């Protein structure tokens, strides 16, 4: 069962738009703040601020540094996160409600990618 970030982390995520095909979330945290584990469907992430954070899933971690005004693909994944920088993490997630066109292969994704 999916762990909705708006339910598990309501102080960090809020729904700003939703229809039958997409849901748009705003995310805002402060330096040192952490999210508890949650799931994301395939999404597009748009950064509104530059930030540094660490994402964790099971025994895997990845450090992420993102500039402001950047769009990245966020493949479906489960993770928790921690703001490891000195600035707020502020971004928008455009979650797709349709299933992927092809089954996923390989290791699970952790963090955003360029494509």
């Amino acid at each position: 069962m999916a762990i909705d970030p708006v339910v598990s982390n309501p102080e960090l995520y809020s729904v700003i738009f939703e229809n039958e095909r997409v849901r748009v979330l705003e995310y805002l945290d402060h330096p040192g703040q952490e999210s508890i584990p949650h799931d994301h469907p395939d999404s597009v992430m748009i950064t509104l601020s530059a930030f540094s954070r660490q994402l964790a899933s099971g025994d895997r971690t990845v450090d992420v540094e993102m500039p402001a005004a950047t769009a990245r693909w966020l493949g479906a994944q489960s993770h928790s996160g921690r703001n490891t920088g000195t600035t707020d993490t502020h971004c928008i997630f455009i979650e797709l409600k349709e299933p992927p066109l092809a089954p996923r292969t390989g290791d699970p994704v952790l963090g955003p990618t360029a494509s």
Side-chain angles (χ1 to χ4, degrees), residues 13-14 18-19 23 25 28 31 40 47 52 63 68 70 74 76-78 80-81 86 92-93 95 97 100 110-111:
Y13 287 92
S14 59
E18 185 168 14
N19 67 21
R23 181 171 81 156
L25 305 181
L28 177 62
H40 290 280
T47 61
S52 299
D63 292 316
T70 302
L74 188 79
Q77 60 190 267
S78 299
S80 60
T86 58
I92 301 293
F93 292 91
E95 299 181 328
K97 292 185 174 182
L110 183 55

Side-chain angles (χ1 to χ4, degrees), residues 7 14 16 18-19 29-30 32 35 37 41 45 57-58 62 76 80-81 86 88-89 103-104 108 112:
V7 174
S14 59
I16 58 174
E18 185 168 14
N19 67 21
D29 75 10
H30 308 294
S35 65
M45 179 181 77
S57 181
V62 63
S80 60
T86 58
D88 291 348
T89 301
R104 298 193 195 325

Side-chain angles (χ1 to χ4, degrees), residues 45-53 64-72 87-92 112-114:
M45 179 181 77
I46 302 165
T47 61
L48 302 177
S49 66
F51 58 81
S52 299
R53 55 191 304 99
V64 176
E65 293 204 22
M66 297 291 299
T70 302
R72 291 287 185 264
T87 62
D88 291 348
T89 301
H90 193 193
C91 52
I92 301 293
T113 61

Side-chain angles (χ1 to χ4, degrees), residues 4-15 26 28 36:
D4 185 340
V6 175
V7 174
S8 62
N9 296 276
E11 71 285 2
L12 303 175
Y13 287 92
S14 59
V15 177
E26 180 178 26
L28 177 62
I36 61 173

